Amino acid sequence: MATVNDEFTREAAPAKSLRTAVLLVFLLYFATPALWVLFAITKNPSQIFTTFGLWFAQPFHFFENVSELFSYQGGIYARWFGNSIIYAATISAVSTMICAAGAYAFAKYDFWGRKALFSFILGTIMVPNTALVLPLFLLMNKLGLIDTYWGVILPGLVNPFGLYLMRVFWDSGFPTDLLEAARLDGASELRIFWSVGLPLMPTGLVTVALLSFVGAWNNFFLPLIVLNRDSLFPLTLGMNVWNSIIHSGGGKPIYNLIALGSLISVLPLLVAFIFLGRYWQGGITGGATKG
Amino acid sequence: MKKQSKIAYAFLAPFLILFVAFYLSPIVYAAYLSLFTKKRIGLRAAQDVFSGVTNYIRGFQDVNFLTSLKNILIFGIFQIPTMLIAALILALLLDQSRGLLMRVCRTIYFIPYTIPIAIGGLVWGCLYARDLSPVNQLLSTLNLARIDFLSPSLILFSIANITFWTWTGYNMITLFAALKNIPDELSEAARVDGAKRWDIVWRIKLPLLMPTFQLLFLFSIIGTSQIFAEAWVLRPIEYVADNITPNVYIYLTAARDTNYSYAAALAILLAAVVFAISSFLLRKLQPH
């Protein structure tokens, strides 16, 4: 039969409405926290308490909230934002290069211990975070890295999942024939990696860089354990300190700042998601379906 | 081949050095540390004394630790199936949909995953707080009693909701991608044979999704055992028990009580329990 009778496959109208209804209910559910934030940033603290959380209140306080956010406690919010950028950008750039080089070795060289080492590194992805972070604290205490930028950055550079992803990209994106040809031309191994291989890996590099940027930006447990001085905090930690202040005795109910601060802290992620979402989802599903 | 090995290890060196320094050695150090306890001898300050598996035995008898394990077990039994089935249903529904609604839903469902749990949890905390919650605002206009989302009887549910909100979209996108990987010819052939729309979903697509589904199930078990920030960010708002999840309890044992060796033993115990459960389930799930 050349043409398929569409009667069999067309969905009945009630089924279609049900499907749309379910999708819309979940849409509302997933969007509710964002909606609350969007309304809360236009209110002052007393309006947040006295007016309905999922609608506007008069008068608007958005611009006052912005200036209060950046002046509260001597303008420490901007500092936290800068810290998050420092942590995430450094970790993302350096760990991506480290993963690219390491994965290149696994993908393109035959060396002693290759298989066993790769499985071992992959296996450690399963190790629970606490088993890692608590002893890390003690270790870094001895190294004098507690309460320093390095204390957050150095452990963040280790990214076994990034190594795995980069290997998938090297395996499929850089033909060994090309490597051999470059060798015949007399190029050094480092030069082949840098000038022949890496330029073929834009998708892989962007994917790993993006995922590690997001991972570092979102990290909470490690900075919580490593950092004491609030001048070194990333946004995730800083916002939660403000939340604690609200609820400690005599604290000001700065829910307006919590809402606006939360929103601004996720803006870089939303921008990255809008422009690089393709890489993002590719990295996640590539890891999940091929793993 | 010897030269090849050298070059390979040169490329690997930066990764390996950091891996050993900040990944492997902490784990080994934790295992070592867990074998010591603090003992006070005479009037001198307490000293670390080797004491074998004492910390592990104490862990098995620690009511707080066992309660935290029980909490997370109950949490997992309800939360993981709810989340994965919702993700599966949403992925299948989106797979059947076209156009703007489908694209908007796919994006909005996924966005919570991109938001730090420490921030998402903070906002949910505001939505739970007794005086702020829009749900309670609605209830009080209707003259109904308010709900205490952070009361001991509801706290696990409230944490589970944050987890559901964060991870359902991630699971959905992964399943959705797996659905898109199923060749169209399969559904096409079934359609020619007279299969109806949902027959194709049930008999062809669902079975092909199972490997991805199992993998997500495993990830969920490991993730559930690690829950920390979701519970931690709610603590300032209202009383949340120290033993609400294993990680909260282990963190407090280390950071507040500075009992590092006992915390290390508990962390290893937790890892062992999770490893046992997940390998048991893996074997159960894969018949061959």
Side-chain angles (χ1 to χ4, degrees):
Chain A
M1 219 158 57
T3 51
V4 178
N5 188 346
D6 223 31
E7 280 307 301
F8 285 109
T9 51
R10 192 175 298 147
E11 200 175 13
K16 192 178 178 200
S17 329
L18 183 66
R19 174 159 58 83
T20 308
V22 171
L23 290 176
L24 287 175
V25 167
F26 274 94
L27 194 64
L28 188 64
Y29 166 76
F30 284 114
T32 297
L35 292 176
W36 184 84
V37 165
L38 289 177
F39 292 119
I41 61 174
T42 68
K43 300 176 184 177
N44 65 17
S46 79
Q47 287 173 319
I48 287 179
F49 276 99
T50 52
T51 64
F52 182 53
L54 297 175
W55 197 244
F56 294 106
Q58 290 294 337
F60 269 42
H61 289 278
F62 175 70
F63 295 104
E64 283 147 83
N65 287 339
V66 173
S67 67
E68 198 186 344
L69 178 72
F70 287 100
S71 59
Y72 194 68
Q73 290 190 342
I76 199 161
Y77 184 84
R79 171 99 200 204
W80 290 339
F81 195 92
N83 288 341
S84 277
I85 300 261
I86 290 172
Y87 292 129
T90 315
I91 288 172
S92 167
V94 179
S95 82
T96 302
M97 284 319 295
I98 290 171
C99 286
Y104 182 74
F106 280 116
K108 296 297 162 195
Y109 290 93
D110 193 13
F111 58 92
W112 184 84
R114 175 188 180 199
K115 258 199 174 145
L117 191 59
F118 191 72
S119 322
F120 179 74
I121 292 172
L122 260 197
T124 58
I125 294 178
M126 299 285 183
V127 174
N129 216 1
T130 21
L132 203 68
V133 174
L134 290 176
L136 202 55
F137 166 78
L138 298 171
L139 214 66
M140 291 200 289
N141 209 0
K142 291 200 167 148
L143 296 172
L145 291 173
I146 293 297
D147 224 13
T148 64
Y149 281 108
W150 291 114
V152 176
I153 291 172
L154 285 174
L157 295 179
V158 188
N159 183 0
F161 184 67
L163 182 86
Y164 164 77
L165 265 187
M166 260 334 281
R167 193 197 164 158
V168 172
F169 282 108
W170 280 120
D171 278 338
S172 61
F174 184 40
T176 309
D177 297 347
L178 197 60
L179 176 72
E180 299 293 346
R183 272 191 191 138
L184 284 179
D185 285 345
S188 74
E189 300 291 317
L190 189 62
R191 203 184 143 79
I192 296 172
F193 166 73
W194 191 260
S195 321
V196 185
L198 279 186
L200 290 171
M201 289 289 117
T203 312
L205 292 172
V206 173
T207 303
V208 174
L210 181 66
L211 289 183
S212 64
F213 185 92
V214 173
W217 188 274
N218 292 0
N219 202 345
F220 179 66
F221 200 28
L222 181 70
L224 174 71
I225 283 181
V226 172
L227 302 175
N228 298 317
R229 270 183 293 167
D230 57 5
S231 60
L232 297 182
F233 284 178
L235 283 167
T236 46
L237 207 50
M239 294 311 297
N240 277 285
V241 167
W242 276 3
N243 189 39
S244 312
I245 292 175
I246 294 182
H247 299 280
S248 64
K252 265 175 72 183
I254 47 167
Y255 285 105
N256 53 338
L257 304 188
I258 295 281
L260 186 59
S262 297
L263 180 68
I264 294 177
S265 79
V266 301
L267 281 184
L269 302 171
L270 292 182
V271 170
F273 181 67
I274 289 164
F275 291 103
L276 302 168
R278 188 165 59 86
Y279 298 95
W280 201 325
Q281 297 184 9
I284 290 165
T285 53
T289 50
K290 285 174 193 161
Chain B
M1 278 301 128
K2 225 168 163 210
K3 193 178 160 234
Q4 280 250 329
S5 281
K6 267 189 202 156
I7 298 166
Y9 276 105
F11 277 118
L12 256 176
F15 184 90
L16 277 187
I17 291 169
L18 287 165
F19 180 74
V20 170
F22 296 106
Y23 212 95
L24 212 52
S25 56
I27 298 172
V28 174
Y29 187 52
Y32 168 79
L33 198 69
S34 71
L35 302 174
F36 288 83
T37 51
K38 274 206 187 320
K39 280 238 168 68
R40 194 179 290 274
I41 303 159
L43 287 172
R44 272 182 292 169
Q47 277 184 320
D48 287 327
V49 182
F50 181 84
S51 49
V53 292
T54 312
N55 280 325
Y56 291 89
I57 294 169
R58 185 180 157 198
F60 277 117
Q61 296 164 338
D62 183 339
V63 179
N64 281 319
F65 183 61
L66 294 178
T67 306
S68 74
L69 286 180
K70 193 190 81 187
N71 283 344
I72 213 67
L73 190 70
I74 296 171
F75 180 99
I77 288 173
F78 289 101
Q79 201 276 329
I80 295 174
T82 311
M83 170 182 70
L84 289 182
I85 290 171
L88 183 65
I89 291 172
L90 291 177
L92 289 170
L93 290 180
L94 285 185
D95 189 47
Q96 301 292 313
S97 311
R98 297 284 172 273
L100 184 67
L101 177 70
M102 180 270 236
R103 284 202 301 277
V104 170
C105 286
R106 205 178 58 185
T107 307
I108 300 287
Y109 295 175
F110 182 71
I111 280 180
Y113 167 75
T114 66
I115 290 171
I117 293 171
I119 299 294
L122 199 62
V123 173
W124 274 109
C126 296
L127 296 173
Y128 291 153
R130 203 179 296 128
D131 308 324
L132 285 184
S133 175
V135 177
N136 283 341
Q137 289 175 336
L138 281 178
L139 287 175
S140 68
T141 51
L142 297 170
N143 278 328
L144 293 168
R146 293 191 291 194
I147 302 172
D148 258 334
F149 290 100
L150 300 174
S151 64
S153 54
L154 284 183
I155 182 76
L156 275 179
F157 167 82
S158 298
I159 296 171
N161 177 54
I162 300 176
T163 311
F164 181 92
W165 181 78
T166 309
W167 290 98
T168 301
Y170 162 85
N171 289 300
M172 181 210 69
I173 284 286
T174 310
L175 289 165
F176 186 73
L179 274 172
K180 291 287 170 218
N181 278 344
I182 297 172
D184 281 340
E185 294 84 60
L186 277 180
S187 326
E188 209 56 50
R191 205 174 300 170
V192 172
D193 288 344
K196 293 215 175 69
R197 192 185 180 106
W198 287 97
D199 279 343
I200 297 174
V201 170
W202 272 114
R203 306 234 174 123
I204 297 175
K205 296 197 168 177
L206 218 47
L208 287 169
L209 275 185
M210 273 306 125
T212 308
F213 196 77
Q214 287 171 5
L215 200 73
L216 291 174
F217 186 56
L218 193 67
F219 284 173
S220 304
I221 292 173
I222 296 169
T224 301
S225 73
Q226 295 300 301
I227 285 182
F228 175 79
E230 295 92 324
W232 189 256
V233 299
L234 299 177
R235 272 174 73 98
I237 307 175
E238 206 131 341
Y239 169 77
V240 175
D242 290 354
N243 56 17
I244 189 74
T245 75
N247 262 358
V248 170
Y249 183 61
I250 295 170
Y251 172 75
L252 287 170
T253 303
R256 188 188 59 194
D257 310 340
T258 62
N259 197 343
Y260 300 118
S261 53
Y262 184 48
L266 291 181
I268 290 168
L269 269 184
L270 174 65
V273 169
V274 175
F275 183 76
I277 292 177
S278 41
S279 40
F280 170 77
L281 286 173
L282 259 189
R283 208 162 301 160
K284 279 262 156 181
L285 287 171
Q286 284 169 346
H288 30 264

